Amino acid sequence: MSNPSPSSKKVILITGCSSGIGFATADLLANAGHTVYATARRTESVAKLDAWSKALSGRAIADRLDVTEPASIEGVVARIKDEQGHIDCVVNNAGYGQAGPIEEVSLDAWRRQFETNLFGVAAVTQKVLPMMRSQRSGRVVNVSSVVAHLSLPMMGPYCASKHALDAMSLALRVELAPFKVKVIMIEPGPIETEFRPNVDHHLEAKGDDNSPYKRLGDAMDSYWNRSFGKTAAKPVAVARAIQKAVESKRPKTRYRITAPAKFVPHLVSHLPDRLLDRIIHWQLKLK
Ligand SMILES: NC(=O)c1ccc[n+]([C@@H]2O[C@H](COP(=O)([O-])OP(=O)(O)OC[C@H]3O[C@@H](n4cnc5c(N)ncnc54)[C@H](OP(=O)(O)O)[C@@H]3O)[C@@H](O)[C@H]2O)c1
């Protein structure tokens, strides 16, 4: 465990800490001596975080925050202001995947996806920025994805939300530079978390086999089952990158975790669209 000096100890708010990357990050940063507000949306998750925080002598504080509920965001940010007087970093990690063909995913499901993965990030960021701007310091760390650079079939809503998050983060980076607030994107490839079990599978939810997209859905499922484990990393690998984003004097603008996250963006920007489509067809074993 590395304990930072008092001046380098940070006050950090993290969303979506019930599992996966959020919990691994909260655990790593609290054990590194930072003060971490580890938040989750379900009361039972907050109770678990509370039990975990007991061993951390006040360095971890569990609280309830649903990124789609403005009152819960305001409550946690007000608490941080009250208890700490400042905030050094927000890690916008909460998110989930909406799967399904563009034609069939209901607009309500589309909206839910953007409410969490994009508007949730905007809502939390808007609440912490007044403090960060007046301090003239702070870091906004957005957990994006390799799919901010590539759109996969049957994952359109999720990929679109991460593309949008990338665009928002780029604008924010320039807007906040005069206030010495840095914006950092975290771009994981496949990571072994609850993400896959939590994916909202439109075709499964629909419960019938008559969709014209059934074959593509099955091809995508078997692709994930074949390939995910081969390249997936543990959530702590992402947590370590977030630790660099928090602690480095001069953090990178993007941290890419896993081999696919490193090579895919280059591939996408250099290959012609039709060749990319063919590669995706070939990977999915579609004729
Ligand atoms: N795993 C991957 O392969 C991968 C790859 C690239 C990027 N990512 C991104 O990494 C981030 C973390 O995902 P993960 O892989 O760690 O998956 P995970 O284990 O499913 O964790 C997602 C977290 O987000 C929370 N969440 C969902 N909706 C929320 C809301 N409205 N308000 C507050 N929290 C909410 C979940 O809470 P509940 O437990 O209550 O649902 C959970 O704590 C996501 O943004 C995801 O898009 C993941």
Side-chain angles (χ1 to χ4, degrees), residues 19 27 50-51 61 119 133 147 152 192 199 216 225 229 236 248 251 274 286:
S19 59
D27 195 46
D50 209 31
I61 299 105
F119 306 144
R133 276 191 302 95
V147 303
L152 296 170
E192 291 164 14
V199 165
L216 187 55
N225 293 336
V236 71
S248 298
R274 287 207 175 81
L286 289 167

Side-chain angles (χ1 to χ4, degrees), residues 78-98:
R79 178 181 181 183
I80 296 174
K81 193 171 186 181
D82 194 40
E83 292 178 353
Q84 309 293 337
H86 73 289
I87 183 166
D88 297 297
C89 181
V90 62
V91 181
N92 286 308
N93 164 74
Y96 74 97
Q98 175 65 56

Side-chain angles (χ1 to χ4, degrees), residues 215-242:
R215 193 171 148 254
L216 187 55
D218 289 347
M220 202 57 196
D221 284 348
S222 30
Y223 168 73
W224 284 125
N225 293 336
R226 275 195 315 275
S227 71
F228 194 89
K230 286 187 195 153
T231 48
K234 303 269 182 228
V236 71
V238 185
R240 286 196 196 104
I242 295 175

Side-chain angles (χ1 to χ4, degrees), residues 139 141-142 144-146 184-189 237-238 240-258 261-262:
R139 293 189 185 183
V141 178
N142 289 340
S144 178
S145 169
V146 60
I184 299 136
M185 276 168 281
I186 304 295
E187 298 181 353
V238 185
R240 286 196 196 104
I242 295 175
Q243 184 177 23
K244 285 184 192 148
V246 170
E247 293 179 351
S248 298
K249 267 207 172 110
R250 207 166 174 278
K252 294 197 234 175
T253 52
R254 296 172 192 269
Y255 290 86
R256 291 178 170 154
I257 304 100
T258 74
K262 287 180 182 149

Side-chain angles (χ1 to χ4, degrees), residues 147-189:
V147 303
H149 304 280
L150 171 77
S151 248
L152 296 170
M154 309 302 282
M155 283 301 279
Y158 177 63
C159 297
S161 75
K162 293 297 187 184
H163 273 68
L165 177 60
D166 193 69
M168 185 173 86
S169 306
L170 284 171
L172 193 64
R173 196 169 75 216
V174 179
E175 287 172 8
L176 294 179
F179 306 105
K180 314 265 180 245
V181 176
K182 295 186 187 336
V183 178
I184 299 136
M185 276 168 281
I186 304 295
E187 298 181 353

Side-chain angles (χ1 to χ4, degrees), residues 15-22 39-42 45 65-68 92-97 116-117 143-146 158 162 187-196 198 228 235:
T15 64
C17 295
S18 69
S19 59
I21 293 168
T39 65
R41 65 174 164 168
R42 286 178 286 127
S45 307
L65 191 159
D66 184 325
V67 300
T68 66
N92 286 308
N93 164 74
Y96 74 97
T116 299
N117 290 14
V143 180
S144 178
S145 169
V146 60
Y158 177 63
K162 293 297 187 184
E187 298 181 353
I191 309 295
E192 291 164 14
T193 66
E194 295 307 306
F195 181 85
R196 284 189 72 212
N198 284 342
F228 194 89

